[in-house]
Amino acid sequence: MYLRQSDSAASLPLSNQRKRDLVDHFEAHGDELDRWRKFNAAYHEDDFKFMKFLIPPGKRVLELGCGRGDLLAALKPSYGVGVDFGAATIAKANELHPELYFVLGDVEDPATLASIRGPFDYIVIADTIGMFEDIDGTLRLVHHLCEPSTRIIISYYSHLWEPVLKLAEALHLRARQPKINYIATADFLNLMDLADFEMISQEQRQLLPRRWLGLGPFINRFIAPLPGVRKLCLRTYLVGRPMRQFPDRKFSVSILIPCRNERGNIESAILRMPRFGSSQEILFVEGNSSDGTFEECERVRDAYQDRWNIKVLKQDGKGKGDAVRKGFSAATGDVLMILDADLTMPPEALPKFHAVIETGKAEFVNGTRLVYPMEREAMRPLNLIANRFFAYLFSYLVNTRLTDTLCGTKVLLRKDYEVLARERGYFGDFDPFGDFDLIFGAAKQNLKIVETPIHYKARTFGETQISRFRDGWLLLKMVWFAYRKLKAV
């Protein structure tokens, strides 16, 4: 049942003795726990800040085990529902946060979850999952409250910190806690898999959960996220999504071809383009070429207008990033994809990218040129070494294995791109390439990212427009930028 401030919260009958003990503990020590939160304010502020990084404001959010609703309120949801089995706790939550909805019930009770009106954009389980009696069974119960785009956020204490936390209780540096299950991340991943959820990303936070004259916040922001070091952190955050496949789903597609001084490749792109999707449109975005590329785009559009839906746009700004933003803003297909005009990524491979999105296997597909052997002269040795180096760095930054971040082919749903574009202010206009604006935006949105290998071909017309050293320096700056925006939150 949904409770508002005026409702009387009668005690909830619980058959499980452990749950009755948990209710008694939190009901009896509610005010004391508030005092401890103030004492450990640095820890709670960092935790709330990172949860707000994971969950943008204005979303539909359900929290299982909401306590007094402070975290739920901090997330500023457009529709927020909290569930807890403590009657006095729920009454206090209503008093503190009358703009939210609260349910008195057991989150492991199917009837409780069946009474909630969904779906939700995010389902949050913050520190309470260690109190569940049946973790995978409970996770299975929330599927009816999920859409394919729903994200489940699970935060918990690292099992490595169990002796430290118990010592803190003994030294009266932390509130006395009821008995909970300290579970390793590998076990959580297994339980999520059993419940038909898959992990998208994993993050660790807080190496030093105290201020200590500003040293704690500095270490937690810049040192704790580093590879190796982060495995020692107190807090772990898992982001997952429901595993669903859509074998019969049919999506239209918009294929964006940014082109500058690529006159000899324009007609080839159309002649080699396969038919796929429920419908196709092709958008040439021309970047003020000096070789007549714009005029060739118009000629090809008119010559093939009876067979293809082709649009020709001219860039207002400079760079591929500007071309991608202009083209995607004019696209009308369900799926958006980029095909570089040099055709080193074969157009014939585009249908398998589309199929990954259409069937729901992923929500963002990145091409990789570094799996199959490539043609001679396709990539210079120094470029290959740099690509592998930056792939390692960016894999760490976005919590997803990427082998080739600079492959021009990127594919995602238009509805996800529109969210990315609306929330672009978080990163700003930082990316002249166009690749990292999409990759970082997808990571910030918690989209499921996968790579699809392609057979990389050598150019048949024109010359590369990449400057190894200038662009390499830009990539190094991009790494630092991404570290500050995605890790040093």
Side-chain angles (χ1 to χ4, degrees):
M1 56 183 167
Y2 287 80
L3 300 176
R4 303 298 280 172
Q5 188 172 351
S6 59
D7 294 326
S8 61
S11 297
L12 184 72
L14 296 167
S15 58
N16 184 288
Q17 181 59 47
R18 180 172 177 243
K19 291 182 179 181
R20 289 197 296 269
D21 292 341
L22 288 170
V23 169
D24 291 342
H25 174 86
F26 289 114
E27 302 280 65
H29 298 90
D31 293 334
E32 178 187 350
L33 290 172
D34 283 343
R35 290 193 295 271
W36 278 107
R37 288 189 187 96
K38 293 177 182 178
F39 179 76
N40 292 308
Y43 160 78
H44 292 288
E45 287 173 9
D46 188 279
D47 180 54
F48 276 33
K49 184 183 295 185
F50 193 70
M51 290 296 286
K52 288 190 285 186
F53 167 79
L54 292 174
I55 304 175
K59 303 297 184 180
R60 296 167 59 90
V61 182
L62 169 67
E63 184 180 5
L64 303 181
C66 63
R68 297 185 174 190
D70 294 332
L71 172 59
L72 186 61
L75 297 175
K76 294 182 171 55
S78 60
Y79 170 57
V81 178
V83 184
D84 204 283
F85 53 23
T89 300
I90 286 290
K92 187 67 175 179
N94 273 311
E95 178 186 338
L96 294 172
H97 310 292
E99 75 281 6
L100 303 175
Y101 295 88
F102 293 99
V103 176
L104 176 63
D106 182 356
V107 299
E108 298 192 86
D109 177 13
T112 296
L113 295 181
S115 70
I116 296 173
R117 294 189 297 273
F120 293 91
D121 300 312
Y122 289 86
I123 297 175
V124 177
I125 308 175
D127 291 328
T128 54
I129 199 163
M131 303 176 192
F132 289 1
E133 296 293 319
D134 182 7
I135 294 174
D136 58 307
T138 303
L139 292 177
R140 276 193 292 270
L141 292 177
V142 305
H143 273 281
H144 80 282
L145 298 170
C146 297
E147 293 181 313
S149 59
T150 297
R151 295 297 176 260
I152 185 165
I153 311 289
I154 302 174
S155 63
Y156 54 94
Y157 299 109
S158 167
H159 71 290
L160 299 176
W161 277 69
E162 181 177 2
V164 178
L165 295 175
K166 290 187 178 299
L167 177 61
E169 288 182 41
L171 297 175
H172 303 289
L173 298 174
R174 180 173 184 254
R176 185 171 61 86
Q177 300 292 316
K179 185 176 181 180
I180 64 172
N181 303 314
Y182 287 89
I183 303 173
T185 298
D187 296 322
F188 272 127
L189 298 181
N190 180 58
L191 292 166
M192 289 175 67
D193 186 50
L194 290 173
D196 293 325
F197 283 92
E198 64 175 332
M199 187 189 76
I200 294 174
S201 67
Q202 172 190 338
E203 195 61 83
Q204 291 85 24
R205 302 276 301 178
Q206 299 215 44
L207 192 62
L208 185 62
R210 300 302 299 269
R211 292 196 191 279
W212 281 11
L213 301 176
L215 182 63
F218 176 82
I219 288 176
N220 291 333
R221 183 177 181 187
F222 293 105
I223 307 301
L226 292 174
V229 178
R230 59 181 179 165
K231 294 183 180 297
L232 303 175
C233 287
L234 168 62
R235 302 287 290 159
T236 300
Y237 301 83
L238 297 180
V239 180
R241 70 164 188 159
M243 289 192 292
R244 296 180 184 174
Q245 297 291 305
F246 303 92
D248 300 321
R249 190 162 66 176
K250 300 298 179 186
F251 280 152
S252 60
V253 59
S254 295
I255 304 156
L256 167 64
I257 307 178
C259 48
R260 182 174 182 273
N261 295 327
E262 298 283 2
R263 185 176 184 276
N265 289 323
I266 301 303
E267 188 167 23
S268 294
I270 299 301
L271 292 174
R272 295 174 56 186
M273 185 67 64
R275 295 283 183 178
F276 61 97
S278 59
S279 64
Q280 289 170 270
E281 69 172 354
I282 298 171
L283 301 100
F284 288 104
V285 181
E286 193 276 329
N288 301 298
S289 304
S290 59
D291 69 345
T293 296
F294 182 74
E295 292 74 17
E296 176 67 1
C297 289
E298 292 188 311
R299 184 194 72 79
V300 168
R301 177 196 61 195
D302 297 340
Y304 294 91
Q305 62 182 335
D306 59 336
R307 283 171 278 175
W308 290 98
N309 175 17
I310 301 174
K311 299 176 182 177
V312 179
L313 308 172
K314 181 180 280 288
Q315 275 186 251
D316 304 307
K318 294 182 179 180
K320 181 182 173 182
D322 178 77
V324 170
R325 289 188 286 274
K326 186 176 184 68
F328 278 1
S329 67
T332 60
D334 300 315
V335 176
L336 307 180
M337 53 176 55
I338 304 169
L339 174 68
D340 284 346
D342 60 14
L343 304 186
T344 54
M345 203 300 290
E348 294 84 357
L350 291 177
K352 68 177 182 179
F353 285 82
H354 183 265
V356 172
I357 297 288
E358 195 172 55
T359 57
K361 293 178 182 177
E363 295 149 324
F364 185 94
V365 189
N366 182 66
T368 175
R369 303 163 292 178
L370 305 180
V371 173
Y372 301 130
M374 61 183 70
E375 289 187 351
R376 295 185 64 182
E377 308 302 326
M379 185 181 296
R380 290 174 288 185
L382 188 58
N383 289 28
L384 179 62
I385 294 170
N387 271 348
R388 293 195 183 279
F389 171 71
F390 283 112
Y392 170 79
L393 291 178
F394 286 114
S395 296
Y396 154 70
L397 290 167
V398 301
N399 289 322
T400 300
R401 175 171 166 75
L402 297 172
T403 61
D404 186 12
T405 55
L406 296 177
C407 179
T409 305
K410 308 280 191 292
V411 182
L412 73 165
L413 286 167
R414 180 161 56 90
K415 69 178 183 66
D416 289 330
Y417 176 77
E418 289 170 350
V419 175
L420 185 154
R422 287 197 300 271
E423 298 178 359
R424 187 174 273 133
Y426 178 78
F427 294 105
D429 184 11
F430 71 98
D431 178 20
F433 303 104
D435 299 295
F436 301 102
D437 175 62
L438 298 177
I439 292 173
F440 296 164
K444 179 67 171 65
Q445 269 194 70
N446 297 308
L447 299 185
K448 174 66 175 179
I449 302 172
V450 301
E451 283 195 320
T452 294
I454 62 166
H455 290 275
Y456 190 47
K457 305 295 184 181
R459 269 181 172 269
T460 58
F461 175 87
E463 296 180 356
T464 181
Q465 299 176 43
I466 296 173
S467 171
R468 285 178 290 179
F469 296 105
R470 182 194 66 222
D471 293 343
W473 173 244
L474 282 174
L475 285 172
L476 285 173
K477 292 198 292 186
M478 209 77 70
V479 168
W480 172 240
F481 176 85
Y483 182 75
R484 290 189 294 112
K485 289 293 186 177
L486 296 174
K487 293 295 185 183
V489 179

